[in-house]
Amino acid sequence: MDTTTTTNSFSGSSIPFKYEKYLGPLLFESYAMDMAKRVKETSPSKILEIACGTGRVTNQLLKELPNAQITATDINSAMLNLAKDIVKDHKNVTWEIVDAMSLPFGDEYFDCITVQFGVMFYQDKIKAHKEAFRVLKKGGTYIFNSWNKMEENRVIHLVKELMEEYFPADPPSFYNLPFSYFESVIITAELEEGGFDDIETSLVKANGYSKDSDSAATGLLEGAPIYGSIIEKDKDLLPEIINKLSGKLADLYGKENLSVPLQAIVTTAKKK
């Protein structure tokens, strides 16, 4: 996670844990597996992972590339500390608190840079892309994913609809930000300004999973900064909203063993 505001919002006492426990399998694990396979195809020796969160991509990279050196970074210390606890094999991993817009690494150091659902939070995407370009070796690859539009990710759109129902005057809008960076023309233009060429974007569909609709609803509302917004507006409403969201999820995907369709954009760029 990579803005100061978002970092602070993700740092509540319970948010990182619930983010990992509930949102990890629901939103992130399938794409982490996909990302690690894409990184493996570049045959890297040194990998920089930006916005590593709770370490789901890190774990998959260790499985796919057990001999690679991984520098796993995040600007959020609470997330990074949880990742250190979750990732069992630390032999080839270095952990650092890092801002993507000011990377503390030398020029042309990494073979591959990967970012899972973090680019959307950059305060200055072009500056961050320039930094990635600087620390990437010639011939290296920059790979990141970002969510497709919210309307194509129904599980999130349900949250938006509920927020508008319960708080019509000023609905909590956290999810608007991570679901705002999906237009290939804009992504390509910003990467080109950052120095990259040979840019490809592709739509990748996957399925997220949850053991039951209550867990999914809890993660969506308590495992992200939207939790703080709801609490500020009316903390007594939270159990009711969770219960209502759980019911809507159960209607769509079942009460138990949910399989939820997701869509994201995967972007690859080369440094020639």
Side-chain angles (χ1 to χ4, degrees), residues 116-262:
Q116 163 130 306
F117 299 120
V119 171
M120 309 90 71
F121 296 106
Y122 293 169
Q123 289 178 323
D124 187 334
K125 294 180 179 63
I126 293 170
K127 185 176 181 180
H129 294 333
K130 287 181 177 178
E131 277 291 273
F133 185 85
R134 178 182 65 79
V135 303
L136 196 62
K137 292 179 182 178
K138 290 181 180 177
T141 306
Y142 184 30
I143 309 174
F144 62 83
N145 52 21
S146 52
W147 293 111
N148 196 10
K149 63 182 71 174
M150 194 184 294
E151 291 79 4
E152 301 296 341
N153 288 281
R154 181 64 177 146
V155 66
I156 301 297
H157 203 259
L158 284 174
V159 178
K160 178 182 173 68
E161 291 171 345
L162 274 179
M163 293 303 99
E164 292 171 348
E165 176 185 338
Y166 277 90
F167 309 104
D170 183 23
S173 58
F174 163 74
Y175 281 115
N176 291 347
L177 177 58
F179 289 81
S180 65
Y181 198 55
F182 53 81
E183 295 184 43
S184 296
V185 172
I186 294 173
I187 294 171
T188 299
E190 291 182 342
L191 281 167
E192 288 175 343
E193 194 165 345
F196 289 95
D197 48 20
D198 193 10
I199 300 160
E200 295 183 3
T201 61
S202 59
L203 176 67
V204 176
K205 298 180 180 180
N207 282 78
Y209 301 95
S210 182
K211 68 175 184 177
D212 54 53
S213 60
D214 288 345
S215 296
T218 298
L220 290 164
L221 295 175
E222 294 190 14
I226 197 169
Y227 170 73
S229 299
I230 297 171
I231 292 298
E232 286 177 8
K233 291 179 180 298
D234 191 339
K235 64 180 181 181
D236 295 331
L237 274 178
L238 183 59
E240 179 183 330
I241 299 172
I242 290 174
N243 185 61
K244 192 161 187 178
L245 178 58
S246 176
K248 288 179 177 291
L249 292 168
D251 289 343
L252 283 173
Y253 309 114
K255 179 67 177 172
E256 298 182 347
N257 299 317
L258 282 69
S259 178
V260 176
L262 302 168

Side-chain angles (χ1 to χ4, degrees), residues 94-112:
T94 301
W95 305 95
E96 293 193 38
I97 297 173
V98 165
D99 185 338
M101 290 172 290
S102 182
L103 297 176
F105 308 112
D107 296 351
E108 299 190 7
Y109 186 77
F110 296 100
D111 303 298
C112 184

